[in-house]
Amino acid sequence: MLGFIVKIMNARELLLILNAVTNLGIKSLEKIICPGNNFISCLKNGNIDFNEIGKKLFKTPKLQSKFLKHKEYFDIEQEMSLCYEKGISIISCIDNSYPEELLNIYDPPLILYKNCLLYTSPSPRDLSTSRMPSSA
């Protein structure tokens, strides 16, 4: 049953789970999971199996099992709806909106959580240039 779930999981869901479980970046996972290949390309091509990730990341069957169970308990829908409610965008390393500059750092994060605050008048710029009232 678990193998079936893994096959229907999309790359973004896999990244959310990996981000929650491993706290590893793109380069670290690339070395472990698909050495010699680009992690993002492997992900986009569907060449990454969640079960294999568990085997490569964790050496003992007990830790592998714990890793797989975390996937079952991690509620992707809840994570996404909570972010939506809070006005937080989820940007994964395979999204076009992921900053290219970040891909050039040593070990870029798999997921970015972006919270855009919209300022209403007065904006911080307006405050710095506004004239103070004169005292009479």
Side-chain angles (χ1 to χ4, degrees):
M1 179 75 175
L2 190 59
F4 176 73
I5 295 171
V6 170
K7 288 178 184 167
I8 63 168
M9 180 191 309
N10 71 38
R12 199 163 200 237
E13 292 171 343
L14 176 64
L15 288 170
L16 281 166
I17 294 169
L18 285 173
N19 188 64
V21 176
T22 64
N23 201 21
L24 296 174
I26 295 169
K27 299 294 181 194
S28 299
L29 288 171
E30 194 169 86
K31 289 177 190 173
I32 298 166
I33 296 167
C34 49
N37 295 309
N38 182 293
F39 178 74
I40 295 173
S41 296
C42 289
L43 208 57
K44 287 181 177 179
N45 295 332
N47 296 337
I48 297 178
D49 181 333
F50 195 80
N51 295 328
E52 289 301 313
I53 293 171
K55 289 176 185 174
K56 290 180 180 180
L57 286 176
F58 304 103
K59 301 298 180 204
T60 66
K62 185 177 180 180
L63 287 174
Q64 291 170 10
S65 174
K66 198 172 184 180
F67 175 72
L68 293 175
K69 283 186 180 177
H70 185 77
K71 181 189 149 297
E72 292 176 28
Y73 296 116
F74 184 77
D75 190 343
I76 293 170
E77 299 299 323
Q78 181 182 8
E79 175 86 359
M80 295 181 85
S81 68
L82 183 62
C83 286
Y84 178 78
E85 288 172 17
K86 303 283 183 184
I88 298 170
S89 301
I90 300 173
I91 304 169
S92 73
C93 61
I94 59 171
D95 293 336
N96 291 334
S97 56
Y98 192 90
E100 193 171 324
E101 297 84 16
L102 270 182
L103 292 173
N104 297 323
I105 66 173
Y106 175 69
D107 203 12
L110 301 174
I111 299 287
L112 299 174
Y113 293 89
K114 178 182 161 191
N115 186 357
C116 255
L117 297 175
L118 299 176
Y119 289 100
T120 57
S121 190
S123 74
R125 184 178 57 184
D126 292 340
L127 292 175
S128 64
T129 60
S130 63
R131 206 174 69 105
M132 296 300 284
S134 57
S135 58

